[in-house]
Amino acid sequence: MKTADIFDEKTVFSLEVFPPKPDANESVIYKTLEELSDISPDFISVTYGAGGGKNGCKTIQIASDIQDRYGVESVAHMPCIGLTKEQAAAILDSMQDNGIENILALRGDSSGSVQGDFRHASDLITFIRENYDFNIIAACYPEVHPESSSCADDLKWLKHKVDCGAHHLITQLFLDNSYFYDFCEKARTSGIDVPIEAGIMPVTNKRQIERMVKLCGVELPKKFVRVLEKYEHNETALRDAGIAYAIDQITELITDGVDGIHLYTMNNPYVAHRIYDAVQSLITVTSCARA
Ligand code: FAD
């Protein structure tokens, strides 16, 4: 099923996982997926390391297994930086052969100058639209992409991605819902009319959030910093506070009519289950109102 169609029927609740590292035990991801599939998410997306290395094969295999073994729709991420058109076509052919219908088309990041046929995610989206029949999803940034010179510029290019063929957007994580509301209002005013899913990351350890802030330029609200400072030396308390914080964010978003929630699970089924259990009835009520 194409993910863009699910939004007509319900408030979407989806999950993100990442493939195991090359030297890790492969069976762990399948145990994780088995536990996550109990939630019956609308789809599970699988990340893909930029550069098109071996990690990509795992992404395709896992995305395919999510559908075949667990009966859950899947989305394969695909960063295009550094790829030639021939390499991109080989990846896309493999996704098609493995029954994958949904692709999160991304640029990816690189530390130096790179060769390749794609400069931006929009180039990959156009390439896919011209040659394949995938449902295309794209990334967006409520706090503006770190490389953008302004919010207006970022929105202009986001609109371009949608015009090129993205049917559904997923946001980068944010910890202050006001950024999301502001972003959605501006996106709608700019003529972006596809579903926008809110990407929520439950922060359960300090190192994780420090890395994310550095990488994504996400602001830490005062309320969140207080939680972090209070519980940073107690693993269980910080985990529980992080779960409670994510539940608060999601409760507000669903109540205010968000199209969907995309939970960055960090491959942690325990955390995903606690969050889902707390918001499941809200999803049911808002989905009934939508149907
Ligand atoms: P783009 O859409 O190309 O945007 C990058 C910058 O260029 C922005 O500033 C934008 O405003 C500008 N821009 C866009 N189009 C144009 C244009 N045509 N001309 C000029 N400027 C333009 N990375 C991975 O490597 N693997 C993953 O699996 C992965 N999953 C992700 C999932 C989500 C939901 C998100 C939000 C991000 C993910 N990323 C992943 C990270 C992503 O690759 C980075 O954020 C990257 O810096 C930008 O990717 P993009 O697709 O948004 O790029």
Side-chain angles (χ1 to χ4, degrees), residues 114-153:
V114 280
Q115 307 293 314
D117 292 330
F118 304 91
R119 296 268 82 83
H120 289 285
S122 53
D123 302 330
L124 176 63
I125 293 170
T126 302
F127 183 74
I128 296 174
R129 283 282 288 174
E130 285 173 354
N131 298 288
Y132 297 88
D133 183 33
F134 289 108
N135 174 62
I136 306 169
I137 306 163
C140 61
Y141 303 84
E143 295 181 59
V144 181
H145 189 276
E147 289 167 33
S148 287
S149 55
S150 68
C151 174
D153 208 47

XYZ file of all heavy atoms in Angstrom, residues 114-153:
318
model
N 31.658 15.698 -3.147
C 31.315 14.370 -3.661
C 30.984 14.420 -5.142
O 30.482 15.415 -5.649
C 30.091 13.758 -2.931
C 30.465 13.153 -1.616
C 28.977 14.760 -2.794
N 31.291 13.318 -5.803
C 30.898 13.151 -7.205
C 29.487 12.577 -7.208
O 28.921 12.315 -6.163
C 31.843 12.154 -7.891
C 33.306 12.485 -7.747
C 33.671 13.769 -8.488
O 33.281 13.942 -9.621
N 34.393 14.670 -7.837
N 28.954 12.356 -8.373
C 27.635 11.723 -8.458
C 26.685 12.563 -9.277
O 26.962 13.719 -9.576
N 25.534 11.947 -9.627
C 24.589 12.619 -10.528
C 23.482 13.369 -9.807
O 22.601 13.933 -10.440
C 23.951 11.575 -11.462
C 24.982 11.015 -12.441
O 25.927 11.752 -12.785
O 24.849 9.839 -12.838
N 23.470 13.314 -8.464
C 22.364 13.933 -7.727
C 22.899 14.983 -6.753
O 23.756 14.668 -5.933
C 21.592 12.866 -6.948
C 21.065 11.740 -7.803
C 21.825 10.593 -8.016
C 19.823 11.841 -8.410
C 21.343 9.551 -8.812
C 19.335 10.809 -9.213
C 20.097 9.657 -9.411
N 22.384 16.180 -6.862
C 22.814 17.249 -5.936
C 21.868 17.344 -4.740
O 22.265 17.651 -3.640
C 22.828 18.618 -6.647
C 23.813 18.745 -7.787
C 25.163 19.294 -7.309
N 26.012 18.256 -6.738
C 26.785 17.433 -7.445
N 26.848 17.517 -8.747
N 27.517 16.522 -6.844
N 20.578 17.132 -5.018
C 19.558 17.296 -3.987
C 18.548 16.164 -4.052
O 18.439 15.473 -5.081
C 18.839 18.644 -4.159
C 19.717 19.782 -3.790
N 20.011 20.102 -2.488
C 20.399 20.656 -4.557
C 20.831 21.123 -2.462
N 21.090 21.488 -3.697
N 17.784 16.029 -2.960
C 16.747 14.987 -2.932
C 15.788 15.166 -4.104
O 15.288 14.180 -4.669
C 15.994 15.050 -1.605
N 15.536 16.411 -4.486
C 14.587 16.654 -5.597
C 15.071 15.998 -6.892
O 14.257 15.578 -7.719
C 14.383 18.156 -5.801
O 15.630 18.803 -5.946
N 16.401 15.902 -7.099
C 16.917 15.236 -8.301
C 16.553 13.745 -8.286
O 16.195 13.162 -9.307
C 18.452 15.373 -8.399
C 18.891 16.827 -8.422
O 18.119 17.658 -8.918
O 20.001 17.124 -7.938
N 16.679 13.138 -7.087
C 16.322 11.714 -6.972
C 14.819 11.529 -7.156
O 14.378 10.586 -7.821
C 16.764 11.177 -5.592
C 16.372 9.723 -5.294
C 17.045 8.761 -6.280
C 16.728 9.330 -3.860
N 14.043 12.444 -6.582
C 12.574 12.334 -6.702
C 12.183 12.385 -8.184
O 11.389 11.569 -8.661
C 11.884 13.456 -5.883
C 12.141 13.230 -4.378
C 10.387 13.516 -6.167
C 11.739 14.381 -3.472
N 12.784 13.313 -8.929
C 12.488 13.425 -10.365
C 12.894 12.143 -11.099
O 12.145 11.624 -11.926
C 13.246 14.636 -10.963
O 12.838 15.789 -10.242
C 12.957 14.829 -12.439
N 14.074 11.629 -10.748
C 14.571 10.396 -11.385
C 13.604 9.233 -11.128
O 13.282 8.461 -12.036
C 15.970 10.079 -10.837
C 16.616 8.877 -11.453
C 17.132 8.925 -12.738
C 16.718 7.686 -10.743
C 17.738 7.812 -13.314
C 17.319 6.570 -11.299
C 17.842 6.634 -12.589
N 13.133 9.134 -9.889
C 12.208 8.038 -9.554
C 10.892 8.215 -10.327
O 10.377 7.274 -10.924
C 11.937 7.984 -8.024
C 13.225 7.668 -7.247
C 10.858 6.952 -7.705
C 13.095 7.737 -5.732
N 10.381 9.450 -10.314
C 9.104 9.720 -10.998
C 9.180 9.392 -12.499
O 8.226 8.905 -13.081
C 8.732 11.206 -10.849
C 8.179 11.557 -9.508
C 6.749 11.155 -9.333
N 5.852 11.990 -10.109
C 4.565 11.792 -10.221
N 4.016 10.773 -9.615
N 3.810 12.604 -10.929
N 10.330 9.680 -13.075
C 10.457 9.470 -14.527
C 10.626 7.996 -14.906
O 10.346 7.605 -16.027
C 11.654 10.272 -15.070
C 11.328 11.761 -15.155
C 12.536 12.606 -15.518
O 13.667 12.064 -15.594
O 12.350 13.821 -15.692
N 11.109 7.197 -13.939
C 11.478 5.818 -14.301
C 10.760 4.708 -13.533
O 10.882 3.541 -13.900
C 12.990 5.634 -14.111
C 13.785 6.562 -15.016
O 13.836 6.363 -16.225
N 14.368 7.617 -14.441
N 10.063 5.050 -12.455
C 9.465 4.012 -11.591
C 8.074 4.445 -11.123
O 7.668 5.587 -11.346
C 10.357 3.763 -10.354
C 11.728 3.240 -10.696
C 12.769 4.124 -10.978
C 11.987 1.875 -10.750
C 14.038 3.658 -11.308
C 13.254 1.394 -11.074
C 14.270 2.283 -11.345
O 15.521 1.818 -11.665
N 7.425 3.515 -10.390
C 6.072 3.805 -9.911
C 6.019 3.770 -8.367
O 5.039 3.320 -7.789
C 5.097 2.768 -10.518
C 3.667 3.068 -10.119
O 3.337 4.255 -9.977
O 2.886 2.109 -9.914
N 7.081 4.186 -7.709
C 7.087 4.156 -6.240
C 6.273 5.326 -5.674
O 6.175 6.386 -6.305
C 8.522 4.311 -5.711
C 9.401 3.124 -5.952
C 10.409 3.176 -6.897
C 9.235 1.958 -5.220
C 11.246 2.089 -7.122
C 10.062 0.852 -5.439
C 11.071 0.921 -6.386
N 5.746 5.112 -4.457
C 5.203 6.233 -3.681
C 6.407 6.926 -3.035
O 7.237 6.267 -2.390
C 4.265 5.690 -2.598
C 3.769 6.772 -1.662
O 3.093 7.694 -2.078
N 4.129 6.664 -0.395
N 6.503 8.235 -3.211
C 7.720 8.934 -2.753
C 7.416 9.810 -1.540
O 6.459 10.591 -1.534
C 8.312 9.801 -3.880
C 8.539 8.933 -5.135
C 9.604 10.464 -3.429
C 8.878 9.746 -6.380
N 8.279 9.673 -0.544
C 8.190 10.459 0.688
C 9.447 11.330 0.736
O 10.481 10.961 0.172
C 8.131 9.505 1.912
C 6.988 8.498 1.728
C 7.960 10.269 3.220
C 7.078 7.293 2.632
N 9.361 12.505 1.383
C 10.550 13.357 1.503
C 10.665 13.887 2.931
O 9.695 13.867 3.697
C 10.478 14.514 0.508
N 11.860 14.370 3.246
C 12.134 14.893 4.600
C 11.860 16.395 4.639
O 11.989 17.093 3.632
C 13.602 14.635 4.946
N 11.492 16.890 5.838
C 11.319 18.335 6.013
C 11.758 18.729 7.425
O 11.940 17.871 8.291
C 9.889 18.747 5.712
S 8.662 17.974 6.784
N 11.914 20.029 7.630
C 12.647 20.516 8.803
C 11.921 21.672 9.498
O 12.069 22.831 9.098
C 14.061 20.956 8.353
C 14.788 19.818 7.683
C 14.596 19.538 6.323
C 15.600 18.965 8.414
C 15.199 18.453 5.712
C 16.214 17.874 7.817
C 16.005 17.626 6.465
O 16.602 16.534 5.876
N 11.140 21.386 10.549
C 10.409 22.457 11.248
C 11.332 23.561 11.778
O 10.911 24.714 11.887
C 9.720 21.730 12.402
C 9.598 20.325 11.945
C 10.800 20.059 11.081
N 12.585 23.232 12.097
C 13.504 24.267 12.599
C 14.473 24.705 11.501
O 15.511 25.305 11.815
C 14.236 23.751 13.835
C 13.253 23.521 14.986
C 13.887 23.022 16.260
O 14.772 23.703 16.806
O 13.485 21.933 16.710
N 14.130 24.431 10.250
C 14.896 24.820 9.055
C 16.160 23.941 8.914
O 16.896 23.734 9.892
C 15.291 26.323 9.070
C 16.058 26.707 7.810
C 14.052 27.212 9.222
N 16.416 23.467 7.708
C 17.619 22.660 7.471
C 18.853 23.507 7.777
O 18.922 24.672 7.377
C 17.646 22.171 6.018
C 18.734 21.180 5.773
N 20.023 21.548 5.483
C 18.726 19.823 5.812
C 20.763 20.453 5.343
N 20.004 19.400 5.534
N 19.853 22.926 8.481
C 21.036 23.714 8.894
C 21.755 24.416 7.738
O 22.398 25.437 7.956
C 21.955 22.677 9.544
C 21.108 21.497 9.841
C 19.889 21.552 8.964
N 21.653 23.897 6.514
C 22.347 24.542 5.385
C 21.542 25.651 4.741
O 22.062 26.365 3.870
C 22.653 23.488 4.301
C 23.727 22.508 4.702
C 23.757 21.321 3.742
O 23.472 21.496 2.548
O 24.048 20.215 4.223
N 20.280 25.811 5.122
C 19.444 26.821 4.450
C 19.747 28.210 4.962
O 19.968 28.400 6.162
C 17.962 26.521 4.693
O 17.598 25.407 3.946
N 19.714 29.183 4.052
C 20.019 30.560 4.465
C 18.812 31.188 5.159
O 18.956 32.116 5.934
C 20.427 31.399 3.254
O 19.413 31.311 2.285
N 17.602 30.675 4.896
C 16.408 31.218 5.557
C 15.286 30.191 5.513
O 15.328 29.233 4.729
C 15.945 32.490 4.838
O 15.460 32.131 3.543
N 14.297 30.453 6.335
C 13.118 29.581 6.377
C 12.403 29.637 5.020
O 11.962 28.606 4.496
C 12.226 30.079 7.508
S 10.681 29.250 7.588
N 12.323 30.845 4.435
C 11.630 31.015 3.151
C 12.322 30.189 2.059
O 11.664 29.534 1.239
C 11.600 32.490 2.770
N 13.662 30.192 2.072
C 14.424 29.436 1.089
C 14.177 27.924 1.249
O 13.970 27.196 0.278
C 15.909 29.756 1.308
C 16.685 29.610 0.018
O 16.218 30.133 -1.013
O 17.735 28.941 0.049
